[in-house]
Amino acid sequence: MARQIEVKVPDIGDFDAVPVIEVLVAVGDRVSKDQGLATLESDKATMEVPSSDAGVVRELRIKVGDRVGEGVVIAILEAEGEGDATP
């Protein structure tokens, strides 16, 4: 059985409202662990938000131009766990 995973913005330092400049995936895309999902831009740098798990993007909660901070949910993945395989 697949499980739902919330992918959140990781610690991005002292910034609490950085703009989303690019969304790298779409609903229905299959992603691998650590694959970039979105690009954020602060005053000092750009950074990609990686996927915490492998799975299929079921929902995107951000779009280009949104401002996000640490802990904001950017996507919902349908991830398959180790115990989910059928014999």
Side-chain angles (χ1 to χ4, degrees):
M1 174 179 233
R3 58 191 166 94
Q4 300 286 313
I5 301 289
E6 291 183 335
V7 180
K8 299 178 181 181
V9 176
D11 180 4
I12 54 175
D14 294 332
F15 302 100
D16 60 358
V18 296
V20 176
I21 60 169
E22 188 175 15
V23 177
L24 304 170
V25 295
V27 172
D29 285 357
R30 182 169 296 279
V31 297
S32 57
K33 184 175 180 173
D34 296 326
Q35 178 178 336
L37 302 179
T39 305
L40 311 178
E41 184 175 55
S42 71
D43 294 342
K44 299 180 181 182
T46 59
M47 75 172 272
E48 281 190 6
V49 177
S51 177
S52 57
D53 289 273
V56 177
V57 178
R58 291 298 176 210
E59 182 181 342
L60 284 171
R61 296 202 175 163
I62 59 165
K63 62 186 179 310
V64 172
D66 285 353
R67 298 180 81 76
V68 298
E70 180 180 354
V72 171
V73 176
I74 64 166
I76 303 294
L77 295 182
E78 185 174 297
E80 295 183 9
E82 297 83 32
D84 295 341
T86 54

